[in-house]
Amino acid sequence: MTQKLYIHRPCVWIAVCFGLGIWSGTMAHFHWPVVVMVCGLLCCFGFLFRSFRWSSFFIYLLFIVLGFVFVSNAQTLPSGHVADLSYEERRGQIAIEGVVVSETIIRQSTHGVKTVFEMSVERVDMRGVWQKRRGKVLVNIFRNQQVQYGDRIRLNGRLHKPFEGSSLGHFSYENFLKRNSIYWIFSVKKSLPVEVLAHGQGWLVQAGMFRIRQSLQKILDEHLTGFEAGVIQSLVLGGKYYIPDRTRELFVQTGTAHILAISGMNVASMAFLVFLALNVLRFSRRWQIILTIVFLIIYCLFTGSNPSVVRAVIMAVVMLGGLLLEKEADTLNSLGLSAIIILVSDPLSLFDIGFQLSFGGVVSIIYFYPKIYRLVEPWAKGRIRIFLWQALCVSLAAWLGVLPFIGYYFQVITPVSIFANIPIIPFVSILFMLGVILILTGLFLPTFAYLCAACIKVVLFGLMMIVEVFSRTPFGFFYIREVTIQVMIIYYIVIGLIFFRLSYINTNANEADKHLHYLS
C-alpha cells in the first residue's frame, strides 16, 4: 500500500473506521479499563513509528476503538431512566409529569383523532409516591388536546412498548424510537384529564421557531386544501403531516416515497434560492456563502431539527465551507467529514435507515455515475439527449447503491424508480420553490399568494398523474423474500467487481485510442 492511500481522502477512511467501531460496539462489550489502555497504546504507537504508513495505520485503529467508545456511551442509560421501569412499576394506570419537547401533531388514527408529541419525563407516580425519573416517552392522547412545546404537563395513562405495524422486512418501529432515545409510548384515553402545570419551559429559540411554523402553516391552510397543504408542509416546513394512505402507497410503489420529507434535494433547493436572492442584492460571493450557511442552520432549527434535515444541512455546510476556504473540494472527502460529524453527535445514526439510504445513494452516484455514463456517452448527442442520459445514469447509480437496503428493510424492489425519478424530481423541486414563494407572498403580498397557490395546484396535479402512471407500470415493483446481511455483502462485492472491470476496460480502450492517434 502506498502513502497516497493514507493521505488521499482521510475523512473517508476515518468515517469508515469510526463506523466499523460503532458497529462492533453493538456486537461486543469490553471493560472500560481495557478500552482506555488500548486507546493509549494506539496513540503511543502512532507517535512512535516514524513510518507514515504505520502511523496512519495505528491512527485508523484508534478511530475504530473510539467508535466503540462513543456507541457504548450512547447505549449506557443514566440512573433513574424511565426505560428501567419494571413491569410491576408500570402495570396499570400511572401518572407522569414532564415537559413537551417536540411539536404537537394532530393525526388520524383507527380510533379517531389523536395528539402526538414527545415528552421529557421528570417524575413518575409509583402507587401514590412520586419518584424522580429522566428520559423521553412518546405520548398519544386520543383526542385533540391543546398543548404546545415547552408546556409542563401531568398525564394519566399507560406505558407500553411500541406496536410493530408490520413484520415485513427488518424495519422495527421499536428500534427506530430507541435510536431517538424513546423506550415507551404513553397512551392517554379520551376520558382522562391532561393538566398543564406551566408554560414556556422549553428552549426559547426552539419555541419561537415552532410559533413561526404554526403561523406559516396557517398561510398554507388558507390557500390550499388539506392534502395540498400537507404535501407542501412536508416538503418545506418539515415534520410529519397527514398524507392519505393511498397517496403514500403510490409513492412507495414507484420508489419515490423519500420526496415526501425534507431531504438533500430540498436543502439544495433552499440553498439555491438563498444564493439567488443574495446575488440579486449584490452581495459578494464570500458573503453569499456565509449567509447561506447561516440560513441553512436556522432552517434546520426551524424545521424541528429532524435527523434527515440535520444530515442534509451538515453535508451542505461542509460543501459550502470548502468553497468558503477556496480549496478544491473532494466530494467523497467532504461526505466522509459529514458522516464523522453526524456519528460523533449521534453514533446510533449509523443504524438509521435515512442515514444509510442518503449516504449510500450519494456514494453510489459519485462512484457509479461516471462509469455508467461512459458506457452510454456515444449515444448522448445534443443537449436534450445528454440531459436525459445523464439524469437516467444518476437515477440508475443511486438505485444500484440503495437497492440492498430497500430489499433488506422493506422486502420490495422498485425498478420503475430508475425512470420515475427523472420526471418526478423536477416536479418536486418546482413544488418546493412554489411552496416557499407562497409563504413569502402570503406574508408580504397576499394578493399574489392566490396566483402562486393556483400554480401549486396545477403542478401537484401533474405530479400525482405521473406517479399514478408509473405505479401501474408492469413489473414496476415486486416483493421479495428476506434479504440477509450476507446477501447484501455479496451484492456489493459483485457490483464493485463489475464496475472495476468496466473501469479497467475503459482505461485500456482510452490508452489504445491515444496510441493509435500517436501512430497516425
Side-chain angles (χ1 to χ4, degrees), residues 12 19-20 31 74 137 140 180 225 265 288 368 399 434 452 474 491 502:
V12 174
L20 182 61
H31 296 292
V137 296
N140 289 330
N180 290 278
T225 65
M265 179 183 63
Q288 288 179 23
F368 292 137
W399 184 75
L434 287 174
C452 186
Y491 169 85
L502 289 176

Side-chain angles (χ1 to χ4, degrees), residues 7 17 41 47 64 115 136 158 182 318 328 336 408 493 497:
I7 63 175
C17 293
L41 288 175
F47 286 109
I64 294 178
T115 305
K136 291 194 301 183
R158 292 177 178 269
I182 298 175
V318 169
E328 185 178 353
Y408 177 80
I493 291 175
L497 291 175

Side-chain angles (χ1 to χ4, degrees), residues 254-256 258-259 391 395 398-399 416-426 470:
T254 56
T256 55
H258 58 279
I259 73 167
S395 183
W399 184 75
V416 71
S417 65
I418 299 173
F419 304 96
N421 279 316
I422 297 174
I424 288 177
I425 288 179
F470 277 106

